[in-house]
Amino acid sequence: MAELLKIKREFEEFQKEYYCRNREAEENREKENQAATQIQSWFRGCKVRAYLSHLHKKAIIIQKIWWGFTARARVRQMVKAAYFIMKMNFYEEMAVRIQRRWRGFFVRKYIHNFYARKKYMEGLVMKNELVRRELDQLEELQKRERDCLDMVKEHTAKVYQAHRLHHLLSTKQCPGVFNSPFRPAPHEMELLLRQVKYQAPTRLASRGKACLLGIPSSTSSSFPATLGSPLIKTSRTYSSRPILPPIGNKKQQGLSREAGEGWEQCLHCRELMLCLQTSYMHLEEAQNQLRQLEPVRIRETGSTLHHLSHGSNSFPHPAHTGKSFR
Amino acid sequence: MSQRHVVQVFEQYQKARMQFVQTVADLANRPQNIELLQNAGVMSLLRPLMLDVVPSIQHTAALALGRLADNSEDLAEAVVKEDILPQLAHSLASQNRFYKKAAAFVLRAVAKHSPELSQAVVACRGVDALVLCLEEFDPGVKEAAAWALGNIARHNAALSQSVVDAGAVPLLVLSLLEPEMALKRIAASTLSDISKHTPELAQTVVDTGAIAHLAQMILSPDTKLKRQVFAALTQISKHSVSLAEMVIEAEIFPAAMSCLRDPDEYVKKNVVTLMREVVKHTPELAQVIVNCGGLEAVIDYLGNCHGNVRLPGIMMLGYVAAHSESLAMAVIVSKGVPQLALCLSEESEDHIKAATVWSVGQIGHHTPEHAKAVATANLLLKILELYMNASSSEDLQTKSKKALKSVLQKCTYLPSLEPLLYEAPSNILKHVACQFSKVLPHDSKARRLFVTSGGLKKVQEIEAEPGSPLQEYINAINGCFPEEIVRYYSPGYSEALLERLDDYQPA
């Protein structure tokens, strides 16, 4: 029985203890639970932290390697670029030097060439001088020509005067107005009068200039050929437009002689006027000649230039038969 | 018997008419008779005589009318009012050559007085009739017709256009080729009158090949022809670059310079005018003329002639120098500047002086070399005098001022600038001082010269408002010299020193 009581007491104690332990356990359950939770969470945290730090470390390693790689690549690129830029700068500078020299050369040689300009100015001065000399020469030439023409005109006027004043020529008997015995030598007018051939006054007095063709060339020998031109020109214009006779009421009836015709006949028959009658048949020959001229004359009532020049060229001055004026 | 009597009466009347008309024509030659004739009512008497049966009375009446209209504008207006012109124009087509000449003479006499009268001639279709006359054989008729057309075309562009529209220009160019000198002269003068108004008219004249013919006639011995030919070429070339180039391409230039030694003044003047008109367009044309020695010829021309005819020569030099500095240097090298200085001193007319001053300005404004050439000819002082002279015209003063300014801005030749310090007004003085302030800092010899010649003293005496450019330049000049020298030359320095003497206590 004691054992039963012991066992019962033990059982009661056991029950009490069981209940006490349960009660304690119950009481401590919360606390223990929390503690366990805390321990577990802390542990889990440690685990995770360790994991994370592991990860970090690994990530850092990876990143470290990657950055290094990338940076080295970038630096390599930068070095390449810097090298390139350096090269380009160098080239540019060299190119600038070349261009500078070239532009200076080109401008100085082709655009603002100092020596060419200097030469140009010197050449211009020389050219100016040349031009001035040439112009001076030309001017002188022209002046001489003009003077020459003036002189010719003057001389022609004088000769015309002499021609009109033929009656003042001095004769053997009586000295003329221009040949005063008190002068050492005759006046130039006197000399001119002696030289000028006498021309009978013709009806065509206005064609008087043509008469001057008969003026012997001795008066004109001192002048150059230009003398010929003004006189010849007038004659040429005249001869190029032959004067037609007026379509008129004046008709030649038969062989009617007009005033002055006899004198003209004398002109045309120079043989008759010669003092020396050389041939026996002289008169007949002269008459034949007249008859040859007559038919032509009948048609033309006035003597033409043609006749005149023909007559005057071959007509020697009656007073000086020996001399010939050609 | 009675038939003869009747015929005699008519013959007497005809003789009387003929005598009247001839006497009137002779009287009309003298200007003093014109008014008397006008008062006697000659116009109404001559008008029926122009319709007379006898051709010689007709053309003598026309001749008398022409002479009357030539001498007096009132009579010309009376001719227009009496409606004689349409009759004339109509009969121009039909009559003989003497009448045509006389009728053309009347038209020319009427047209020469004023544009309105010319317009009246155009309105009655006179231009077409005259152009028909240009196709005649007789050179006298052509000359009269060409002269009338020239008088019409002279007044303004519209009338010229009507002459051109009637087809006159090819006929005029053909008449240039005729042998008669008078006809050539008149044709050249008419072409010059036509082409002087506008470029289009000049172009029309050129298109008919006038330039080649005119160029051939340059060396003809006739003086008046040469005058007209050069006048025509001048009028053509003055309008535009292309026309001037065409005139140059006809290669007149070395040959035309021989005409610059012609004894006739107007030929020379016209040649120089032609050169001026050609030169003013572009530098290349100026270069052509300079290269054939034109500058020398013009400078000789300026030396030989006097008065108004110098003007085109002076302007030509100015235009050449204006284009570029090498051309200006060419003018200087050909001794143009001394010649221009002579012209300036010899001529008394203001407009010639103004042109000379302008030319000098054009020559001198390019570089210091050019300005030095101008300054050494003592021109700066002369131009300043002209500027200051109250009796110079406004144009002369403006031009002198501009020329002076432009030359001064480049002038670094100090000896010639110094006289200007004394006389110039403040607006010119500013430029002078500016030049001094540019040159003095760099040249010690010039500084010494400046001091010894009294220039520094003068500069001190100049009063300028502080802050104005003149004051700045003066300060810059003063800065080139040591202070003692500046103080020495400043006005009133001797008094300042004496005052110091008053306060001084000997030790």
Side-chain angles (χ1 to χ4, degrees), chain A residues 112 117 120-122 124-125 127-140 142 145-146 241, chain B residues 226 257-258 260-263 287 290-297 300 325-327 329-330 333-334 370:
Chain A
H112 295 295
R117 182 186 139 113
Y120 172 71
M121 292 297 163
E122 283 167 17
L124 194 69
V125 170
K127 176 87 198 257
N128 280 346
E129 202 40 55
L130 212 75
V131 163
R132 176 185 278 150
R133 253 184 279 146
E134 274 179 23
L135 284 183
D136 280 338
Q137 277 174 2
L138 245 165
E139 191 185 359
E140 217 191 287
Q142 281 176 352
E145 259 185 48
R146 275 196 301 269
R241 289 195 226 144
Chain B
K226 276 193 277 198
M257 294 204 291
S258 60
L260 268 177
R261 298 299 182 102
D262 203 271
Q287 193 72 50
V290 168
N291 283 348
C292 48
L295 284 179
E296 183 67 31
D300 279 344
E325 65 89 28
S326 54
L327 285 169
M329 189 47 102
V333 147
S334 322
H370 298 76

Side-chain angles (χ1 to χ4, degrees), chain A residues 129-195:
Chain A
E129 202 40 55
L130 212 75
V131 163
R132 176 185 278 150
R133 253 184 279 146
E134 274 179 23
L135 284 183
D136 280 338
Q137 277 174 2
L138 245 165
E139 191 185 359
E140 217 191 287
L141 212 72
Q142 281 176 352
K143 197 159 161 302
R144 250 191 271 156
E145 259 185 48
R146 275 196 301 269
D147 286 341
C148 197
L149 280 175
D150 283 335
M151 273 208 291
V152 161
K153 246 208 270 180
E154 226 187 278
H155 187 78
T156 342
K158 271 203 197 144
V159 164
Y160 179 67
Q161 272 279 335
H163 167 71
R164 298 300 295 248
L165 294 175
H166 69 275
H167 52 278
L168 295 177
L169 180 65
S170 50
T171 59
K172 209 166 175 187
Q173 281 292 341
C174 150
V177 180
F178 295 112
N179 193 6
S180 159
F182 300 114
R183 291 176 69 93
H187 193 259
E188 53 158 329
M189 210 48 195
E190 175 66 27
L191 295 169
L192 265 179
L193 283 170
R194 287 186 194 162
Q195 282 173 346

